[in-house]
Each structure stands twice: as structure tokens, then as C-alpha cells.
Amino acid sequence: MVAAGHDREPLPWLILHRIIGIAVFLIVVVVLNWLAGTTEIAPVRTIAAFLTDNVWLVLLFSLIFLVADILAAFPFPVNIAAPFLNAGGAVLLVEFLIRIFLLVDTIIGITVFSIFAVVAPFLKAVVFVVVVITGLAGIVRPGRMRG
């Protein structure tokens, strides 16, 4: 979620790093699926199935963050969409993290993290609002709004 700018890495490097991160994630999913097919270890199979089931969610929030970073590199008013995209990506990321916590509950056989399923809607709403507000504040702070 790092926005490109004067004190940030150049936009081409930012894009390259994001794409490399996505590629590494996809490689991990492929390797885990291969490993799950060759082992009888239940947690490995469970984690591989989990990542496979959630690959589209991870790709979606990764691409949303990428587009937000690209838009944030532009001056006002083009960059105004970046906080909203970052907020949407953050909500999807929170959803993924909640799913990870619930997976941990399943693997270890307890219900410590099941509370996240209950508070998830509130948590996602708070994350969305906080990310939008901080993103917009970063855009309108003095010296940042050039157009």
C-alpha cells in the first residue's frame, strides 16, 4: 500500500515489485499443491486447499493495491481515487486475514479466533473508514495537492 511519490520508489520499480510479489505467491500456491499431493500430512493439505480456494481473493486485493499505488503516483485530482481503492483492498485483506485465523482454529481444533467471524463486519467498516480518511488526509495536506 505504499504510494509512489517523491519520497517513494519510482513507479516502474513499484509495479515490478508488486508483480514479483504476486508471482511469488502463485508459485507458493503451486508448490504447496504439489506438496499436498505427495504427502499425507493433513495441515499441509488443508493449507494448500485454503490458498487455492482464496487465490482469487489474494489476486484481487493485490491488483487493487497495485492500481491504487499507480493512481497515487499522479498529482491531484487523479490521485483522489487511490484512498478509496486502498480502502477496498484493505477490506479484502482483512477478510483474508480473518479466514486465516479461522483456518488456524480449524487446524489446531479450537475456537479462539471464532470471535473474528462475529466482529468481521464492524472491523471491515472501521478499516475502510480509517484507510479512506488517512488516505484523503495525505492527499490534502499542505504541499501535496498540486495539479
Side-chain angles (χ1 to χ4, degrees):
M1 293 191 311
V2 176
H6 297 296
D7 57 342
R8 312 275 188 211
E9 62 185 322
L11 189 57
W13 284 111
L14 178 85
I15 293 170
L16 180 64
H17 289 150
R18 296 284 192 219
I19 291 172
I20 289 171
I22 292 169
V24 167
F25 170 74
L26 292 173
I27 290 168
V28 166
V29 171
V30 168
V31 168
L32 270 175
N33 277 307
W34 172 79
L35 190 59
T38 62
T39 186
E40 296 298 321
I41 302 171
V44 172
R45 289 177 168 229
T46 303
I47 293 169
F50 171 80
L51 288 177
T52 300
D53 291 345
N54 289 285
V55 72
W56 291 110
L57 178 63
V58 173
L59 289 175
L60 181 59
F61 71 69
S62 297
L63 292 174
I64 289 172
F65 285 141
L66 173 62
V67 172
D69 285 341
I70 291 169
L71 289 176
F74 291 99
F76 183 82
V78 177
N79 63 356
I80 201 74
F84 295 97
L85 287 171
N86 273 326
V91 167
L92 294 175
L93 177 60
V94 166
E95 173 63 28
F96 182 67
L97 293 173
I98 289 169
R99 290 179 185 187
I100 289 174
F101 286 129
L102 296 175
L103 174 69
V104 169
D105 272 358
T106 302
I107 290 173
I108 60 177
I110 60 173
T111 57
V112 172
F113 298 116
S114 61
I115 187 68
F116 286 123
V118 176
V119 299
F122 175 74
L123 184 61
K124 291 176 195 176
V126 168
V127 166
F128 185 87
V129 170
V130 167
V131 172
V132 167
I133 289 172
T134 57
L136 290 174
I139 289 174
V140 297
R141 77 175 178 246
R144 177 83 167 126
M145 255 180 74
R146 293 185 315 256

